[in-house]
Amino acid sequence: MNDPTHHGSPSPRPRRLPLTRRGFLALGTATTVALALDPSPAAAASPTGDWFARPRSPYRPMVRWWWPDAHVDPAEIRREVDQLAAAGFGGAEIAAVHHSIRDKSVLDPAGHGWGTPAWTAAVEAALDQAARRGIGIDLTIGPSWPAAVPSITPESEAACQELAHGSVAVAPGATYTGPVPPPAVPGRPERTLLLVQAARIEPAHSTRDETGLDPASVRDVPVTGGTITWTAPDEGEWLLISYWRRGSGQRPESGPHTAPESYVVDHFSRAGTQAVIDYWESELLTPAVRRLLRRAGGALFEDSIEIETDALPWTPDLPAEFERRRGYALAPFLPVIVLANEDPVFTYEAVLTRHARKDFWDTVSELFNRHHFTRLRDWAHSLGLRLRAQPYGLQTDAIEAAAIVDIPEGESLGFKNLDDYRCLAGGRDLGGGEVLSCEAGAYQGGAYTTTWKKLLRTMGGAYAAGLNQTVLHGFSYATAPGAGWPGFAAFTPYDGRAGYAESWGPRQPTWGHITDISAYFARIHLIMQQGQPRVDVAVLRQTGYTKTGIGASWFTATGIPTGWTHQFVTAPLLDLPGSRVIRGRLATPAYKALFVEGDRFNAAECTMTLAAANRLLQYARAGLPIVFLGTWSSASPPGVPRDGETERLRRLVASLTAEPTVRVVASPADVPTALASLGVQPDVHYATPSTLLTMRRTDGDVDYYYLCNGKHQENAKPPITPIDHEVTFTRTAHDGVPYLLNPWTGTAERIALYTEDGHGRIRLRVTLQPAQARIIAIGRPGLFGDRTGARTHAVTSDADAVRFDGRHLTIRATHAAACTTTLSNGRSITTTIGPVPSPIPLTSWHLTVEDWRPDSKITHSLTLDQLVPWSAIPELADASGVGTYTTTVDLTDTAAYLELGEITDTCRVRVNGRSLAPVDQIHPVIDLGPHLRRGTNTIEVEVATPLGNRLRVADPTVYGALSRQPYGLLGPVRLVPYGEARVQT
């Protein structure tokens, strides 16, 4: 999404906000480097204008806003909207979720359930107040999840359905006379017999878990009055297999939410989706709600598609739709399709079975995406809303679904690594979408112990995978029947113990620092929605699953650590209008190449549809480089092939692989050589394999690079370590110069030390601590209101840092030195920095703690001669709250960095009574140069903690098993003086 307010030079404001030292380059270690970047000097940091410093509401983070159904007060609803707006959030998603309330009778679903007049009145209050405060409100499509309504029963045509099988063995030549075999998986008693088949057991096809059958033997068996009389042929053991269609009876999570009770709808039929729409139109969309949705409505939201059945998900039209779409009847393959307790029961020969199952789930996927997501999206648009959804949970093409919904969403809890986000990002970008959202921070057992640092570490790498909207999990309504201190929390207690994180809000001591956190997220979202994404490679998947953790050969393990970026696409996306090759690049992300390997979800078989092969041939002839991995000369269709289809595909693949823009490699190790031979290079390159993750976006002639020292996988081993190496960035504008944008402070600084390689690229030295993130912008001089113009810059220096101070170059060092700086005009200049005092440890502090308790807040006052965690101080051992650390230091020189060391959890800093700009919570090092004075200086560090330590003793039944955490300012803390001198250019 482009922000039209920032084109041209943002107007500078007469203020100086410090950028954090060592947020980008390590303090005192950047010597003899190609570029040393010091982001901390306040004098060099230029305000970027409100477009970056104060992102507008659409870019701000959101929250899941959990209500105990309609047990809410409209006045409190308005107050909580005000709290969220004041805290810097741009929206909230209202959801009826109350897993923590075990006695559901107290919720009165008839009078206070989802969709009742009480619910509607509360929604109206939320929408009205949100409109007044300029934030948006999203509404879940039903109570809890999956989508459900109270207007259907399990036997309704629109209700979620399943196909259950039964079987009985028949010996060779024997006659079976008896009832139709009942379902092997228990379920609702109301059921309809679909058909009965006989099949001969083929032991050669059997596996450890599946009984082998001979597909040629499968035949229909007549049923009369519910009775079968059938004689088996003389050869082999036989099975009679029955197929029963029935309602699954699935209800939304943690109900009842309504009276009558809601049941999950059929997600694969038009009738199921229409039931949702009809209920909304008749019961929920009052004239006031309709009007308010136009003012403050954001999106309808559907959570992950958790269709729970121990049999096979089904819809009545499946047999007819399967035959129409696949070209053959489903019935002969039903034995290898049915499931019991989520596992297949029977199998034919392995390849045939795999292809038949692929055809079945492809058909389900097509019905799901057409009848459910497409229909819901179009209806949402008629209300002035968008559709946001987590389009996964079934064996369906989530990548295609991400191109259908307006806002696809992933989740930090269920996604196993960054490739799960890259799947949804590929669908979003080829579908012309702008936003990829994430349900963030749902840690199991993390209630009231989750730190913001943990959340920041989790999310940092996801933004490099294409994520650009964060929906925090979550914000609970203040109270509910039976809820104790500190208030109602949707997911805790959970089964009597500490539940899922987190109920953020004023109940948490860290909420006093929340605007620092929310602004950080907002600035990253803003940059990650500027212009268009630029991704090196599209990986074509035959099966579009996500939430699997399965990546791409070579690119995931080897390409990313050296700068490559990739996304995943599936064949249906290639038919979209924007999927064209222009000047050798594919679609909006301007993919430089397409990578195709065997189906990672189906035995790595080299499969492709005829339509996809034809499309790829068009791409190759239009100049798009394509790399195939595997034995594609024996390619096969992904499903059960029609007559002659395999031969036609192989002829087409032979023509495709003969194109000069195509390479076929046998091993993943050969992929980089193939790319190089096609002239394909990454936008970002670093020679040393690294944990640096990047994402590029371009807006006109401005390039934005998000950088994070992050994890591909949440629990990756070994742990992430600091990085310090050169990085080469591609730029759009030939005269573009680099800027550092600080997402914590909202400031921008023109980078003074870099090299240009003669190929339109810029090389910088990047140092980041684990999970730390920064943004590089490359554009015309003066882009961010700085006044350095196109002046000479440094290309090497043995100073700690080089920066622009107005129109001049200056250097910094934390020790006396004669520093040589080489300029871009070829001159070398030596600049002297005189004596610099040694670092000053700050060990003695006065500590005042506001200790949050169920009935009051108690103040403690202590004097510390060394920093220790609160848990090591008897009177603070179980304290949670806000602590203020105060110390004084006498200085003769007034330039220094403050290193805070380890802190739990968030912090703010004041110097001589002045509040400083937000601190990088991942790596808290602050430039105090503009704020110190000669003589006595007072430094205050305010630290806020989670509530876990107090809840351990306040509610031991639920939280007593939690371990006591080390809260407070742990350090070590020190002042590191520096010297500064102008380079006489």
Side-chain angles (χ1 to χ4, degrees), residues 13 49 119 282 668:
R13 294 191 297 272
W119 174 270
S282 64

Side-chain angles (χ1 to χ4, degrees), residues 114 139-152 158-161 248-253 257-258 261-269 271-277 279-280 300-308 368 371-373 376 379 387-390:
W114 179 83
L139 301 172
T140 58
I141 201 68
S144 197
W145 69 91
V149 290
S151 55
I152 61 174
C160 183
Q161 301 190 28
S248 72
Q250 184 179 355
R251 294 167 288 186
E253 283 280 322
H257 299 271
T258 59
E261 194 160 2
S262 294
Y263 288 93
V264 175
V265 300
D266 181 355
H267 284 57
F268 314 130
S269 72
T273 303
Q274 193 63 44
V276 173
I277 294 172
Y279 187 79
W280 274 76
L300 293 174
F301 173 69
E302 181 162 18
D303 214 319
S304 54
I305 314 301
E306 299 175 19
I307 302 298
E308 297 175 354
F368 176 49
H371 292 311
H372 193 69
F373 280 140
L376 280 179
W379 173 65
L387 177 63
R388 176 168 57 90
Q390 296 179 352

Side-chain angles (χ1 to χ4, degrees), residues 57-329:
S57 180
Y59 302 110
R60 298 175 193 163
M62 296 177 58
V63 296
R64 296 257 199 280
W65 188 11
W66 298 308
W67 292 5
D69 290 341
H71 275 276
V72 296
D73 177 6
E76 172 63 20
I77 289 295
R78 290 180 181 274
R79 190 171 77 93
E80 292 184 9
V81 169
D82 289 344
Q83 291 170 351
L84 289 168
F89 288 89
E93 166 209 309
I94 298 173
V97 179
H98 40 67
H99 286 59
S100 61
I101 300 176
R102 307 313 300 170
D103 181 8
K104 301 299 183 183
S105 65
V106 304
L107 291 174
D108 178 27
H112 293 86
W114 179 83
T116 60
W119 174 270
T120 302
V123 169
E124 290 176 2
L127 288 167
D128 180 68
Q129 194 67 13
R132 296 170 186 266
R133 295 304 303 264
I135 69 173
I137 295 293
D138 290 6
L139 301 172
T140 58
I141 201 68
S144 197
W145 69 91
V149 290
S151 55
I152 61 174
T153 69
E155 283 65 54
S156 299
E157 176 192 14
C160 183
Q161 301 190 28
E162 62 187 12
L163 189 71
H165 86 286
S167 65
V168 62
V170 184
T175 298
Y176 173 85
T177 300
V180 175
V185 176
R188 295 188 62 82
E190 299 85 356
R191 57 181 185 250
T192 300
L193 183 66
L194 186 67
L195 79 158
V196 176
Q197 294 174 326
R200 182 175 63 81
I201 295 175
E202 176 51 74
H205 296 336
S206 293
T207 68
R208 184 177 64 179
D209 301 315
E210 301 167 293
T211 300
L213 301 176
D214 175 11
S217 72
V218 176
R219 62 201 64 182
D220 291 349
V221 173
V223 178
T224 304
T227 300
I228 299 171
T229 299
W230 182 78
T231 300
D234 293 334
E235 183 179 341
E237 296 285 337
W238 289 75
L239 290 175
L240 288 173
I241 307 172
S242 59
Y243 305 93
W244 299 92
R245 179 171 66 85
R246 65 191 182 196
S248 72
Q250 184 179 355
R251 294 167 288 186
E253 283 280 322
S254 192
H257 299 271
T258 59
E261 194 160 2
S262 294
Y263 288 93
V264 175
V265 300
D266 181 355
H267 284 57
F268 314 130
S269 72
R270 182 178 178 86
T273 303
Q274 193 63 44
V276 173
I277 294 172
D278 289 345
Y279 187 79
W280 274 76
E281 292 283 354
S282 64
E283 304 297 330
L284 299 175
L285 294 175
T286 65
V289 169
R290 289 179 185 272
R291 182 179 67 255
L292 288 166
L293 285 175
R294 297 283 178 177
R295 295 177 57 205
L300 293 174
F301 173 69
E302 181 162 18
D303 214 319
S304 54
I305 314 301
E306 299 175 19
I307 302 298
E308 297 175 354
T309 170
D310 290 329
L312 180 72
W314 194 255
T315 190
D317 289 340
L318 238 176
E321 289 287 354
F322 183 94
E323 186 164 2
R324 184 174 72 83
R325 295 165 185 270
R326 308 274 87 86
Y328 65 94

Side-chain angles (χ1 to χ4, degrees), residues 521-564:
F521 284 131
R523 293 179 189 118
I524 290 177
H525 298 165
L526 169 65
I527 293 301
M528 294 302 294
Q529 293 183 43
Q530 292 302 299
Q532 303 294 337
R534 290 292 179 261
V535 180
D536 295 325
V537 175
V539 178
L540 179 62
R541 280 239 157 115
Q542 298 89 339
T543 302
Y545 302 161
T546 191
K547 201 179 176 183
T548 67
I550 295 177
S553 293
W554 189 81
F555 287 98
T556 294
T558 307
I560 292 171
T562 55
W564 289 88

